[in-house]
């Protein structure tokens, strides 16, 4: 048996073995009391857009694609979700300080304006997550109104 064949068999064995190491899925049954939609009035259209374009990485509930169960892709996805939730979690938004909430809303607004969110690697596969100009305007208007109310309620 040549070294190429041995290497191929070893690599195949490793790929089969790693399929048994699955990350814990990010799935919650329902939105908690700290969910952004429960603490700030949010039109259903804005909530729908956020759920479609943002919640997979920025909430406690991810809709997993078919390839999430295939390693090492599932590990990469899990790592990406953890980083996204660490940066901003819409389900935990009410637990943030008022200052942090304002900062996060500004960051969301800036990310939408400069087109860095949703990220292109996500929208490449999730085409419906791309934000249209009208959707961007709806979210930006809602953020502006919400941020204004946060300034008044200080």
């Amino acid at each position: 048996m040549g070294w190429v064949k041995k290497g191929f068999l070893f690599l195949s064995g490793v790929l089969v073995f790693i399929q048994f190491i699955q990350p814990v899925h990010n799935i919650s049954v329902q939105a908690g009391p700290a969910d952004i939609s429960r603490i700030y009035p949010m039109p259903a259209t804005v909530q729908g857009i956020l759920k479609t374009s943002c919640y997979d990485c920025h909430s406690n509930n991810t809709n997993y694609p078919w390839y999430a169960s295939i390693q090492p892709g599932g590990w990469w996805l899990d790592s990406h979700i953890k980083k996204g939730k660490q940066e901003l979690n819409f389900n935990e938004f009410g637990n943030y300080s008022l200052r942090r909430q304002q900062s996060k809303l500004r960051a969301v607004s800036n990310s939408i304006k400069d087109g860095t969110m949703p990220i292109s690697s996500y929208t490449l596969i999730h085409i419906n997550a791309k934000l249209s100009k009208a959707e961007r305007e709806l979210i930006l208007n809602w953020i502006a109104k919400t941020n204004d109310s946060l300034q008044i309620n200080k």
Side-chain angles (χ1 to χ4, degrees), residues 26-116:
N26 181 41
I27 296 175
S28 176
V29 177
Q30 61 184 355
D35 188 81
I36 192 169
S37 64
R38 292 194 178 190
I39 57 171
Y40 296 113
M42 179 184 290
T45 51
V46 172
Q47 189 174 12
I49 295 166
L50 291 179
K51 283 186 176 179
T52 301
S53 300
C54 310
Y55 270 47
D56 276 351
C57 298
H58 297 286
S59 76
N60 293 331
N61 201 355
T62 301
N63 290 320
Y64 284 92
W66 63 268
Y67 55 85
S69 298
I70 301 171
Q71 307 312 327
W75 296 336
W76 174 80
L77 193 63
D78 184 57
S79 167
H80 185 80
I81 291 167
K82 284 179 181 172
K83 287 178 188 171
K85 285 175 60 177
Q86 202 171 30
E87 188 64 37
L88 170 65
N89 187 338
F90 286 112
N91 292 142
E92 304 293 331
F93 199 81
N95 295 330
Y96 298 163
S97 68
L98 185 60
R99 183 177 178 171
R100 188 168 183 209
Q101 289 178 6
Q102 290 172 319
S103 171
K104 293 299 177 187
L105 287 176
R106 268 193 310 274
V108 170
S109 179
N110 291 337
S111 296
I112 290 172
K113 285 177 186 170
D114 64 18
T116 55

